[in-house]
Amino acid sequence: MTKRKIINDPVYDGFLSIDDPVILQVIEHPYFQRQRRIKQLGLTYLVYPGAMHTRFSHMLGALNLMKRALDVLKLKGVEITDEECRGAKLAILLHDLGHGPFSHTSERVLVDVPHEEITLLMMQRINEEMCERDRSGANEASGPLDMAIAIFSNTYYKHFLHQLVSSQLDMDRLDYLGRDSFFTGVSEGIVGTDRIISMLNVHDDELVIDEKGIYSVEKFIISRRLMYWQVYMHKTVIAADQLLLNILRRARELDPTVFHFDPSLPDFLDEFAEIDDDDIMVAVKHWQHSDDEILSTLCRNMVNRRLPAIRFSNEPFTDVQTSYFEGTGKLANRSYDFNDQEIKVLYKDGRCLPISQASDQLDRHFLEKQVTKYYHFYPKQI
């Protein structure tokens, strides 16, 4: 009897049914189960109390959307084999596997390696372990995640499958916009996910959107820009991030072995995979009682949500005395990236145009515009 897992997802008001034995096995792996203990939006819950959802729920949500997208493309006559379907599903399921505690907040601080590289290493490790457990297979040279790794790395010859995983209109972005909007209560992130997926198509090995979906894509691009400034780059979230980063930096200055991970060591992946949000917060609570006054003060501020004050400006701040309690930084956001593969619109007459040419609302000037803000954080008593 085929094992089946039914998962209720409140974001899509329905159920995700999984019966693929390889996908089920991957979900049960400790690397994946760790995602239950990593918040999707890091410290954003200090601003939006409902933002407690995890990477685990996001990755399953992205899998849900990938399944729908593949079904739509196959109905439109796009040739996708069962093996390719499984590979694309596994690639999107595991796309965030390498995130550290509190997601992007700790990236490049705990380990100076992008999370995408750690994700790839973890996918390769899972693939090796699954191969070791199933040496009775007819082809021992291939692993169950080979296809997924090729799609994730964009080395597979059908490049539109990689675009479903990572592009300017991928299943990752579609899920996190809707999911983050749902749990923060910020309605600007609500996009027509079903409509966009139903309009997906493939033209010359590129993922495109059918002409009738152009308005939904316009709303998607605008919603993403609004969500960045209202949620992802909310000034209080930035203040909380700076506080946590300075806690970790001070702790490492006092003891370089604290949360130290060396990618060159053979045990790096397993040690990194044991660290999650809970470990960081337990350490912060413990460090409240440190003999070091700087570390203890920073940690008490975090535990009791005494966050730094922060102000934004269109110009850089000057003459700021930098310390663990005060500093400056820069935020930049562009809703669309022309250096990435453009979103393209497929017309009924066979023409395929970039969204910057096809849209009446989103001309190149709007899409190219980068919003840059400078910030200064400092103790509120100043």
Side-chain angles (χ1 to χ4, degrees):
M1 181 180 293
T2 303
K3 183 179 178 182
R4 181 183 296 270
K5 184 182 287 288
I6 306 294
I7 299 171
N8 192 350
D9 191 335
V11 175
Y12 303 117
D13 194 24
F15 296 93
L16 170 61
S17 177
I18 306 172
D19 58 9
D20 187 306
V22 175
I23 292 177
L24 289 171
Q25 191 175 346
V26 166
I27 289 174
E28 295 303 320
H29 193 280
Y31 286 177
F32 195 85
Q33 288 296 311
R34 166 180 173 264
Q35 307 306 311
R36 294 181 184 271
R37 303 185 298 277
I38 295 181
K39 292 182 182 63
Q40 168 79 0
L41 292 181
L43 295 168
T44 304
Y45 69 92
L46 294 174
V47 179
Y48 298 102
M52 300 292 288
H53 55 302
T54 63
R55 285 279 159 189
F56 185 88
S57 66
H58 162 58
M59 291 156 80
L60 288 175
L63 171 64
N64 190 349
L65 298 187
M66 177 64 81
K67 180 180 183 300
R68 296 188 200 179
L70 292 169
D71 289 343
V72 165
L73 293 178
K74 287 196 290 185
L75 282 173
K76 293 183 178 181
V78 180
E79 185 177 338
I80 308 173
T81 68
D82 291 343
E83 183 185 8
E84 290 167 342
C85 279
R86 171 187 278 179
K89 290 175 183 177
L90 285 166
I92 195 65
L93 181 68
L94 299 175
H95 75 281
D96 275 344
L97 204 59
H99 270 293
F102 296 105
S103 297
H104 292 284
T105 305
S106 66
E107 190 168 6
R108 297 286 191 158
V109 175
L110 297 182
V111 57
D112 192 22
V113 176
H115 74 269
E116 294 89 353
E117 292 185 19
I118 301 176
T119 293
L120 184 57
L121 292 174
M122 286 183 164
M123 289 175 70
Q124 292 168 342
R125 173 68 66 82
I126 295 173
N127 197 31
E128 293 167 3
E129 291 178 3
M130 293 176 75
C131 286
E132 287 291 333
R133 285 196 294 266
D134 187 24
R135 284 301 185 187
S136 60
N139 184 5
E140 295 184 3
S142 64
L145 266 63
D146 284 354
M147 178 73 73
I149 291 170
I151 291 173
F152 179 82
S153 306
N154 200 20
T155 57
Y156 191 62
Y157 75 97
K158 291 185 180 180
H159 298 291
F160 72 87
L161 293 173
H162 173 76
Q163 288 180 290
L164 286 167
V165 177
S166 179
S167 67
Q168 299 204 77
L169 191 62
D170 56 35
M171 300 307 103
D172 172 29
R173 295 186 186 193
L174 280 178
D175 182 79
Y176 77 60
L177 278 180
R179 188 169 303 276
D180 297 346
S181 175
F182 181 92
F183 284 103
T184 59
V186 177
S187 60
E188 281 77 6
I190 298 175
V191 295
T193 302
D194 290 338
R195 174 73 172 172
I196 290 174
I197 289 179
S198 68
M199 292 294 108
L200 290 177
N201 212 329
V202 173
H203 177 76
D204 290 341
D205 194 31
E206 281 190 291
L207 190 68
V208 297
I209 195 84
D210 285 333
E211 179 183 358
K212 291 186 293 184
I214 188 170
Y215 299 120
S216 297
V217 173
E218 288 175 344
K219 185 177 187 302
F220 163 79
I221 292 173
I222 293 172
S223 295
R224 187 165 178 265
R225 168 171 281 182
L226 293 175
M227 282 291 286
Y228 262 86
W229 291 115
Q230 288 193 241
V231 177
Y232 309 130
M233 293 181 175
H234 188 287
K235 66 176 185 177
T236 308
V237 174
I238 299 301
D241 286 347
Q242 289 298 320
L243 178 56
L244 179 59
L245 291 175
N246 281 333
I247 287 172
L248 294 174
R249 287 172 180 141
R250 181 60 176 178
R252 292 274 282 272
E253 182 178 323
L254 297 171
D255 182 358
T257 67
V258 168
F259 295 129
H260 175 72
F261 304 98
D262 186 347
S264 66
L265 297 178
D267 296 332
F268 161 70
L269 279 184
D270 290 334
E271 291 181 355
F272 182 78
E274 289 181 356
I275 300 297
D276 52 48
D277 294 6
D278 296 338
D279 296 291
I280 298 295
M281 288 311 300
V282 166
V284 170
K285 290 170 67 177
H286 173 73
W287 291 333
Q288 289 181 103
H289 312 291
S290 169
D291 293 334
D292 181 75
E293 186 63 25
I294 293 176
L295 182 60
S296 63
T297 302
L298 290 170
C299 291
R300 286 196 301 271
N301 288 346
M302 174 60 74
V303 171
N304 297 300
R305 199 191 176 277
R306 292 197 289 262
L307 305 178
I310 190 167
R311 56 181 177 147
F312 282 168
S313 171
N314 294 326
E315 301 295 331
F317 289 95
T318 58
D319 300 326
V320 172
Q321 192 169 16
T322 303
S323 69
Y324 282 106
F325 299 94
E326 184 175 5
T328 62
K330 181 176 76 171
L331 300 174
N333 172 248
R334 181 187 286 116
S335 58
Y336 194 78
D337 187 359
F338 282 93
N339 293 321
D340 200 353
Q341 200 161 23
E342 281 210 61
I343 298 173
K344 293 186 177 178
V345 178
L346 180 64
Y347 289 86
K348 291 180 181 179
D349 60 10
R351 289 179 301 136
C352 192
L353 297 178
I355 189 73
S356 57
Q357 297 178 28
S359 172
D360 296 328
Q361 306 295 324
L362 306 180
D363 60 18
R364 191 176 183 94
H365 174 73
F366 174 85
L367 292 171
E368 280 185 325
K369 184 179 179 181
Q370 175 173 290
V371 179
T372 301
K373 294 183 180 181
Y374 299 88
Y375 63 87
H376 170 211
F377 66 93
Y378 53 93
K380 285 187 176 178
Q381 58 266 35
I382 295 180

